[in-house]
Amino acid sequence: MQPVAAIFEKREDRKKAVSIINAERSRAQTDGEIQISLTDRQWELLSKKGEADTWKDEYITIVVTSPFILIVTGALQSAFGLGTEILDAVAEIFRQAEAADIDLGELMLWTVFAAIGIKAVK
């Protein structure tokens, strides 16, 4: 039962942080201030709230993971004796990425981290 309770606690923490942000913004508007001070977590919540209706993250995830999805699709196609065209195309994708000095494995890792909300500085 602990994980469920933790989810509700985090949800309440987020609600409390949003109410603090709104109160700070209202106070700043009332006082005529141009800038308000927020913690990193508050800024993150505010930016997430603004991005709630976008598909940007999903689009990037699909684009980055598509070569790996194509590998599975190509392997299935080949296993059923339907040719290796998809696997050949995927091999070309990896060759072109390597020629452009793009590490698809690391790109995939950072995309997964972003999807689950892990912020890290390299």
Side-chain angles (χ1 to χ4, degrees):
M1 200 64 160
Q2 287 290 357
V4 174
I7 291 171
F8 286 110
E9 286 177 14
K10 288 181 181 180
R11 184 175 180 201
E12 289 303 314
D13 288 345
R14 285 191 299 270
K15 282 184 181 179
K16 183 179 176 182
V18 168
S19 67
I20 291 170
I21 292 168
N22 290 333
E24 184 69 21
R25 189 173 57 195
S26 295
R27 185 196 59 75
Q29 282 179 327
T30 303
D31 295 345
E33 291 181 27
I34 296 174
Q35 295 181 342
I36 59 173
S37 297
L38 299 173
T39 65
D40 287 343
R41 181 161 176 7
Q42 290 170 330
W43 278 114
E44 189 174 315
L45 283 171
L46 197 57
S47 71
K48 290 291 182 195
K49 187 177 177 186
E51 294 176 356
D53 296 327
T54 68
W55 285 80
K56 179 179 63 178
D57 293 341
E58 289 79 5
Y59 176 76
I60 290 170
T61 302
I62 290 168
V63 169
V64 169
T65 58
S66 62
F68 302 99
I69 295 167
L70 288 172
I71 289 171
V72 173
T73 306
L76 288 172
Q77 179 188 19
S78 178
F80 286 106
L82 301 173
T84 61
E85 294 85 6
I86 294 176
L87 287 176
D88 295 339
V90 172
E92 184 61 26
I93 289 171
F94 279 90
R95 275 193 292 276
Q96 293 297 326
E98 188 176 344
D101 200 29
I102 298 171
D103 184 351
L104 290 176
E106 187 169 336
L107 188 59
M108 174 78 144
L109 178 70
W110 288 108
T111 302
V112 170
F113 282 167
I116 60 175
I118 296 175
K119 281 176 39 176
V121 178
K122 192 172 183 181

